Amino acid sequence: MDLLERVQRRATKMVRGLEHLSYEDRLRELGLFSLEKRRVQGDLIAAFQYLKGAYRKDGEGLVTRASSDRTRGNGFKLKEGRFRLDIQKKLFSVRVVKHWKRLPRGAVDAPSLEVFKARLDEALGNLV
């Protein structure tokens, strides 16, 4: 557990009335996510923006839409880009593709970033 997660764990214990609950229950009561889920949330938001046309030059080839019409689940599958250098980009694409595949169709088909964020929060909230 990293330092920030410990700080968040300790801060949630300071909320009067929630001291006796587990960390996950305190987060749920406060409407918060763990830092790991917040990282995933940020990655998925960046991927959604990229797929909608933002970051074209910076993230060229980072993730691409899978060409198969035979998909189960959300129908908007991604595949990882290939990189020889810059391992950070590859790690980002691996993280995004792994979690993107588990999103519901309503989230990935969202017409705007605001709608995507709301649907993403709902999907991640079910994983708490």
Side-chain angles (χ1 to χ4, degrees), residues 52-87:
K52 290 295 186 177
Y55 312 125
R56 278 289 176 212
K57 294 201 185 258
D58 295 333
E60 193 167 329
L62 191 60
V63 290
T64 55
R65 188 171 182 182
S67 59
S68 174
D69 291 335
R70 297 181 55 210
T71 59
R72 292 183 289 164
N74 65 34
F76 196 79
K77 299 297 182 196
L78 301 179
K79 62 181 181 179
E80 302 163 15
R82 293 181 178 239
F83 297 99
R84 293 186 185 161
L85 301 173
D86 200 0
I87 200 76

Side-chain angles (χ1 to χ4, degrees), residues 1-61:
M1 180 182 318
D2 64 348
L3 176 65
L4 288 176
E5 192 77 37
R6 284 190 303 210
V7 169
Q8 180 170 308
R9 181 181 294 266
R10 194 174 239 192
T12 59
K13 277 187 178 180
M14 292 181 184
V15 178
R16 190 168 275 147
L18 301 182
E19 309 91 357
H20 64 286
L21 297 176
S22 70
Y23 177 56
E24 290 78 20
D25 290 339
R26 289 192 307 265
L27 290 176
R28 191 174 294 116
E29 285 291 320
L30 295 170
L32 300 173
F33 293 132
S34 69
L35 291 179
E36 180 183 347
K37 281 193 182 180
R38 289 181 20 210
R39 282 186 207 108
V40 169
Q41 180 185 34
D43 288 347
L44 291 172
I45 289 170
F48 180 83
Q49 289 175 319
Y50 170 75
L51 292 168
K52 290 295 186 177
Y55 312 125
R56 278 289 176 212
K57 294 201 185 258
D58 295 333
E60 193 167 329

